[in-house]
Amino acid sequence: MKKFLIIIVAVLAVLYGLWQLSSARSYQLFGELVHRVEIGDKVIALTFDDGPSKRYTDEVLTILAAEQVRATFFVTGKETKQNLAQARQLLAAGHQLGNHSYSHPRMLFMSRATVASEIEQTDAAIRAAGYQGDILFRPPYGKKLLMLPWYLAQQNRLTIMWDLEPETDPKFAKDAQAMADYVINNARPGSIVLLHVMYQSRQTSREALPLIIRGLKLQGYRFATVSELLTMRAQS
Ligand SMILES: [Zn+2]
């Protein structure tokens, strides 16, 4: 009985370790993962996950255009295919598109073929929208373990995470100003901010967006796409 308990505890410890590893923002087993770019200049990348959606793309584009900010949208292949016009609008406004998988699964225990299909179908949708640059990848739920990082490393592709995720704190769920203040107070040169703005449930995030941008501008920050941030790293 005692032996049995020890085995159970050991198995749980290993599972917990794997879970922690799969969620780590600054470490993975293969390939390069970026959660913030080491630069000295006060430049920030705003990143938006999921979508594009028919309903909210215009609203988000209007906010960004009014502030003359370019950002990076990690889109799913499925929604890009369904809402190709919105994906094209994002590109026409000068924003960057990144790959956020095709169907937004947790990509933890997946075969190589499924990983490949999630990634390649999304690349194809992003290309169909007219995007020409390098396609960066961000895993759904920030989850990765073995096959996904291995596959990306073989293709020399970066995994892009984030260092600021104000939405995860329940304190800010209904308080756009508090959400914005959190980002403004914790931003550093090269920070990558994660927001979700493409669904109805994310009203607070859409309200926080202009507040975040204006607050950071007052602190002397400017905004760039993730690829532009990475270029600045190469130069500094
Ligand atoms: Zn997502």
Side-chain angles (χ1 to χ4, degrees), residues 49-50 74 76 100 104 138-142 194 196 199:
D49 280 12
D50 312 337
F74 287 95
T76 68
H100 193 45
H104 209 275
R138 172 175 285 166
Y141 312 101
L194 165 64
H196 297 76
Y199 304 133

Side-chain angles (χ1 to χ4, degrees), residues 187-205:
R188 298 161 64 194
S191 276
I192 299 174
V193 182
L194 165 64
L195 291 167
H196 297 76
V197 289
M198 285 294 177
Y199 304 133
Q200 187 174 11
S201 59
R202 302 298 191 160
Q203 183 62 32
T204 310
S205 300

Side-chain angles (χ1 to χ4, degrees), residues 73-204:
F73 291 79
F74 287 95
V75 294
T76 68
K78 194 173 174 188
E79 287 164 300
T80 302
K81 237 171 139 177
Q82 283 166 352
N83 303 319
L84 203 58
Q86 282 72 23
R88 290 187 170 135
Q89 272 181 278
L90 294 174
L91 289 176
H95 302 294
Q96 179 175 4
L97 295 189
N99 183 326
H100 193 45
S101 83
Y102 190 81
S103 60
H104 209 275
R106 281 190 166 74
M107 297 176 78
L108 284 178
F109 302 104
M110 244 179 204
S111 69
R112 189 180 192 282
T114 316
V115 166
S117 138
E118 284 285 337
I119 292 178
E120 306 309 329
Q121 283 191 86
T122 306
D123 281 350
I126 288 173
R127 293 292 181 217
Y131 181 72
Q132 289 177 339
D134 280 350
I135 304 180
L136 302 170
F137 183 82
R138 172 175 285 166
Y141 312 101
K143 287 280 176 195
K144 65 252 162 274
L145 198 56
L146 289 172
M147 192 49 82
L148 175 61
W150 174 249
Y151 186 84
L152 292 167
Q154 281 181 324
Q155 299 188 341
N156 269 325
R157 286 173 77 161
L158 292 179
T159 303
I160 306 298
M161 301 289 279
W162 55 85
D163 65 326
L164 291 174
E165 48 175 326
E167 295 162 334
T168 38
D169 192 326
K171 279 204 302 284
F172 308 146
K174 292 254 177 281
D175 190 343
Q177 187 62 58
M179 192 185 278
D181 288 344
Y182 174 83
V183 175
I184 294 158
N185 294 330
N186 290 282
R188 298 161 64 194
S191 276
I192 299 174
V193 182
L194 165 64
L195 291 167
H196 297 76
V197 289
M198 285 294 177
Y199 304 133
Q200 187 174 11
S201 59
R202 302 298 191 160
Q203 183 62 32
T204 310

Side-chain angles (χ1 to χ4, degrees), residues 2-16:
K2 201 172 166 196
K3 233 183 195 168
F4 183 66
L5 271 179
I6 290 171
I7 289 170
I8 295 270
V9 169
V11 166
L12 285 176
V14 168
L15 287 178
Y16 179 73

